[in-house]
Amino acid sequence: MSDHMTASQGPGVIVVAEPEVSALLTASGVAWNVQKRMPGIADMWAALSGGELDAHSRILVFSDSLHRGEPDEGSEREQTARAIVAMANAKAHVFVAVWHSTELETLRAHIDREAAAMGVAPDSITIHFMPMEKGEREALECMRAVLDAEIEWPLEHIVGMEESLEAISIIADPDLAGIPSLSDAAPAAPMPPPAASIPPSQSPAGSAASTSDPSPSSPAMPHLGIGQQTASEPPMGSSTSGASQELLARPPLPGQVTITVTSSKGGSGKSTAALLLAASIARASKEGGKPLSVCVVDMDTRDGQVASLIGKYMPTALNIRVQPVWDELTIRRHLVFEEALGVHALLAPIRPRTADTVGPEFYRTIIRSLQRMFDVVVMDTSVQYLDPLIAKVCLPEATEVLFITTLASTAVQGMARALREITAPAEESGLGISRDKIGIIVNQSVAGVGMQREQILAAGLGVPVVGVIPLATKDVLTATNLHRMQTLLDHPLIGPAYNELARTCLPGRGLAEFEMKNQNSMSTGMAGDVSPAAPITVELPLSVDAEPELELASASRKKGLFRRV
């Protein structure tokens, strides 16, 4: 280990950016070793060679506009691009502080050019963008989302707001199960309602829960002491569960649809698919003149990704779990609204260690409540399809199940195993989920990769392919890193694919067909921030070129939702 870094100091961070960036990282309280700030790329290389910087540092922070307005601005940008490619190709964590997003495309062009000159495929490197324009907290949240599993983060950065009840999920002793006692905790201030409230007409008429406000005299929070068992929950409707039998007995909204998006392999794009499907439904229904309310629920309690995709991290489901009553008003107050996508979301807990405190019985209550509040609920799950949360809630409560696979042979084989377990009857130790409500989505589809249509259909065990989403790696990564997922709805290939999937999932609901809006903004996921001359970079879907076309389930060939005639 280098003299510049000890185990107690944490991993080294090299900063080649403005003094404000270095000061932010140094004062953050995060368990890392921020090296002396470098004023330029040449200074960084010299300091590394001379031992002034720790050569073992695996975190590097650059800037999109260092030396902006100075005579050497162009040269510095080229050197920055070269350093970004070199460090990212070496599998370091590379961040770029974005101060002027309108100029980011220029830097990206330099990065692509330098990558080509170095023989590195641009899509093979990962770069994370820190939105300095949005403030220090957003910038740190970007880094936390990437590094949380490797670095200890102080409480104020984990919870995002001091008054949040998420603070109870942080355990002083990691060897103890459960969460700290709430008996001495001061009640948190009520969370404000979502930015765009749900129309009152969607609440059950005459509901006392929908008109009353919790007061300081509300009953004390349930005691969940350190070391107590939290994996099991009280029976549904019991006096201590927070659930109400009267609430659970209410029917869902007429025509309500609940969609579970799942997979058996990480990296399949499952969370992206869930979010874009929800947003496509919201947009197409609005454009069709019959807007539907849509909510995305992140059910991956140990590795939720929805928060990172939309760039909002609080509040989470844990904030509901610790409340004395889980009524609809409480649930509404702990949803986030992503205005650009037109959807609400219930986020997963931030810390994986709190997963057991929000188990199947809790989430069943939440999902059934959301079914009374939203026309469409989309559940994004983990890849552990035998997990009780999926087996007991996500699959049984869904009216439709979408199974995501890529064209990788490992993903297709994993899908076959998962579908056998999911659809096998209970007497054969399966989950007993009917094939009639399951459809397969081929994601990141591209031609000429050695995967035939027959292999997909055979692995599907009779489950139809209901959607094919083309591969557009660069565009998806850019939209993801900049928290601008809405731009993918207008992407020339991805947009129509999700629109078609939305209309397949909700036939006869008046969803409008895809209509191209601003094609020039689609190549980078930065609508309004790129030059009209920017090229559109996309790859061909599986159904193009020499590969046999995947057969999609259409409305004329279905009996029920996905069942073939």
Side-chain angles (χ1 to χ4, degrees), residues 113 218 359:
R113 189 158 50 247
S218 297

Side-chain angles (χ1 to χ4, degrees), residues 2 14 124 133 183 208 266 276 360 363 375-376 388 397 458 470 485 492 518 520 530:
S2 168
I14 294 176
S124 69
E133 293 173 313
S183 57
L276 291 181
Y363 267 113
D375 298 303
V376 181
E397 294 294 326
M485 302 299 290
N518 183 7
N520 288 326
V530 296

Side-chain angles (χ1 to χ4, degrees), residues 398-541:
T399 51
E400 305 172 11
V401 177
L402 298 178
F403 198 99
I404 308 291
T405 184
T406 65
L407 295 179
S409 60
T410 51
V412 175
Q413 293 165 9
M415 177 183 71
R417 290 192 297 270
L419 289 177
R420 278 195 296 269
E421 295 278 1
I422 290 171
T423 60
E427 54 269 25
E428 297 178 12
S429 300
L431 300 182
I433 303 299
S434 172
R435 287 186 176 89
D436 293 347
K437 71 175 186 179
I438 305 177
I440 296 171
I441 305 296
V442 178
N443 197 24
Q444 303 168 6
S445 177
V446 64
V449 294
M451 180 59 65
Q452 303 296 321
R453 176 174 75 89
E454 289 76 12
Q455 294 171 269
I456 300 287
L457 298 178
L461 305 176
V463 174
V465 174
V466 297
V468 176
I469 310 300
L471 178 68
T473 305
K474 178 180 177 181
D475 300 336
V476 173
L477 283 177
T478 303
T480 299
N481 290 340
L482 295 179
H483 306 310
R484 297 187 178 182
M485 302 299 290
Q486 71 275 10
T487 58
L488 295 175
L489 299 178
D490 295 315
H491 191 282
L493 290 183
I494 295 177
Y498 276 105
N499 175 267
E500 178 67 23
L501 178 59
R503 291 187 291 117
T504 297
C505 291
L506 278 76
R509 300 296 290 269
L511 271 62
E513 294 187 11
F514 177 83
E515 181 179 346
M516 179 64 72
K517 293 179 174 57
N518 183 7
Q519 180 169 322
N520 288 326
S521 67
M522 295 308 103
S523 65
T524 63
M526 298 174 59
D529 288 343
V530 296
S531 167
I536 296 176
T537 305
V538 293
E539 290 81 5
L540 295 177

Side-chain angles (χ1 to χ4, degrees), residues 44 60 85 111 134 140 199 231 325 331 400 445 516:
M44 179 193 75
L60 295 101
V85 173
I111 292 173
K134 296 184 178 181
L140 284 175
V325 177
I331 295 172
E400 305 172 11
S445 177
M516 179 64 72

